[in-house]
Amino acid sequence: MPRLSEFLGGPQLWVKRDDLTGLAFGGNKTRKLEFLLAEAQAHGARTLITAGAIQSNHCRQTAAAAARYGLDCILVLTGEPPEQNSGNFLLDQLLGADIVWSPPADRDRKLEEVFNDAWQGGMRPYLIPYGGSNAVGASAYAFAMEELLSQGMRPDWVVFPSSSGGTQAGLVVGGKQYAFSGKILGISVDKPKEGLADTVLRLAFSVGECLKAKLDIREQDVLVNDDFLGAGYGVMGPAEREALQLFARTEGLLLDPVYTGKAGAGLISLVRSGYFRKDDVVLFWHTGGTPALFAEAYTRLI
Ligand SMILES: *Cc1c(COP(=O)(O)O)cnc(C)c1O
């Protein structure tokens, strides 16, 4: 991102475009789904079931993956049906997913109920956890790290938004497996750092096991910054807005209001505060999410 690097007067900034992973507007969940779908197929599944927020990128990519492989899809979304369809929720419907609504406090129970009903109804359901973040899904990001290194990139830093921890856990495992010497920094979009770092570490252990890799993964391999939570998950404030505008106007790159907008704001702030060295190479891993730009809640704010 030469123009953004120059504008900020900081280190060399690069971007890895997982907003272009290709499945109905792409995103990081597409990599995870590649592995989850293989498991679903191996089990002879006929229906994918998952859950998330109304503007969940994970749900939209799951609906697209189901369509692509001829499976049915049920999404358990938290909240109530909105007055207007927009963003990811509009795409969920276009992609043919069945939607079930659940009050936030009740969603685990609802998900279980939907799964049991589908099982009893002979739909051969396969349950995908929130954000696709179990060992199988997260292992996709160990391979993504291999891909990055095979592209000849050796950044000093990899920076990206982190939430359910799968992306970060996979990158940490891949970093160990392929002797990546840079630092892997997750910008939390919704959780205090201790809790998220703990989730990532435990998930990284199970990814290691899943890949049958004996790796020396430690607490200090998991770097989380929670200084950029702003007004909370999904809330777009001045910092996120500036990040969206700067990436768009210097590079023609679109961030999203919920994840990459926060991580982008974090990256900009860290560059400005001199956190990186001038001769560092910093790679921003774009995890997708751009359909949320067209969610009704954000169009007025952007
Ligand atoms: C889900 C998501 C994330 C967070 O990834 P995790 O693996 O859940 O930590 C980041 N960015 C976007 C756009 C997402 O949809």
Side-chain angles (χ1 to χ4, degrees):
M1 297 187 284
R3 292 205 348 110
L4 181 60
S5 308
E6 193 191 330
F7 180 88
L8 293 172
Q12 240 189 77
L13 302 174
W14 289 68
V15 63
K16 173 90 170 143
R17 300 288 306 276
D18 276 10
D19 56 327
L20 301 179
T21 46
L23 198 57
F25 289 117
N28 61 346
K29 306 312 181 304
T30 295
R31 284 192 192 267
K32 299 179 186 182
L33 284 161
E34 186 182 350
F35 289 72
L36 292 162
L37 263 283
E39 191 178 66
Q41 286 177 319
H43 290 177
R46 286 216 306 269
T47 305
L48 302 182
I49 299 181
T50 197
I54 179 169
Q55 284 297 333
S56 167
N57 299 303
H58 165 64
C59 287
R60 178 250 313 161
Q61 287 163 87
T62 301
R68 172 69 180 75
Y69 288 95
L71 305 169
D72 289 326
C73 180
I74 307 176
L75 302 175
V76 176
L77 301 181
T78 42
E80 286 169 18
E83 277 174 25
Q84 204 178 313
N85 296 338
S86 65
N88 284 303
F89 179 61
L90 174 72
L91 299 176
D92 294 343
Q93 295 167 81
L94 181 61
L95 292 161
D98 285 328
I99 312 282
V100 175
W101 295 97
S102 163
D106 221 24
R107 71 173 192 178
D108 289 336
R109 199 195 52 75
K110 191 75 193 170
L111 187 57
E112 204 181 306
E113 180 189 307
V114 166
F115 181 85
N116 289 338
D117 287 353
W119 185 261
Q120 266 147 30
M123 296 175 74
R124 302 196 68 115
Y126 176 83
L127 188 66
I128 299 180
Y130 301 107
S133 283
N134 57 16
V136 170
S139 66
Y141 268 89
F143 293 97
M145 177 58 90
E146 183 187 22
E147 176 185 298
L148 176 75
L149 299 174
S150 77
Q151 289 173 323
M153 275 304 294
R154 293 280 185 284
D156 300 289
W157 292 87
V158 174
V159 180
F160 53 95
S162 195
S163 173
S164 68
T167 301
Q168 186 160 5
L171 289 175
V172 166
V173 170
K176 283 281 168 185
Q177 274 185 305
Y178 304 106
F180 176 60
S181 58
K183 294 200 167 69
I184 297 166
L185 175 63
I187 308 285
S188 177
V189 301
D190 55 359
K191 294 175 189 73
K193 106 179 176 185
E194 290 74 22
L196 179 54
D198 193 55
T199 302
V200 170
L201 188 62
R202 277 184 293 118
L203 197 46
F205 289 146
S206 42
V207 171
E209 267 168 41
C210 177
L211 297 176
K212 300 190 171 52
K214 286 224 160 31
L215 302 167
D216 182 25
I217 296 164
R218 300 172 181 218
E219 225 176 289
Q220 58 263 36
D221 297 319
V222 179
L223 306 178
V224 174
N225 184 318
D226 65 357
D227 293 341
F228 307 104
L229 295 171
Y233 179 76
V235 182
M236 205 170 73
E240 291 85 0
R241 190 161 179 268
E242 188 203 12
L244 258 67
Q245 291 184 349
L246 263 185
F247 275 72
R249 292 171 191 184
T250 58
E251 296 291 345
L253 262 174
L254 302 176
L255 300 183
D256 82 283
V258 181
Y259 295 94
T260 52
K262 274 207 165 51
L267 178 74
I268 290 165
S269 170
L270 292 172
V271 168
R272 284 181 176 149
S273 69
Y275 181 82
F276 306 110
R277 292 166 34 151
K278 274 259 189 243
D279 59 352
D280 275 345
V281 172
V282 179
L283 180 123
F284 183 72
W285 205 307
H286 193 319
T287 49
T290 43
L293 280 171
F294 307 106
E296 201 196 351
Y298 298 116
T299 45
R300 270 165 295 119
L301 301 171
I302 292 163

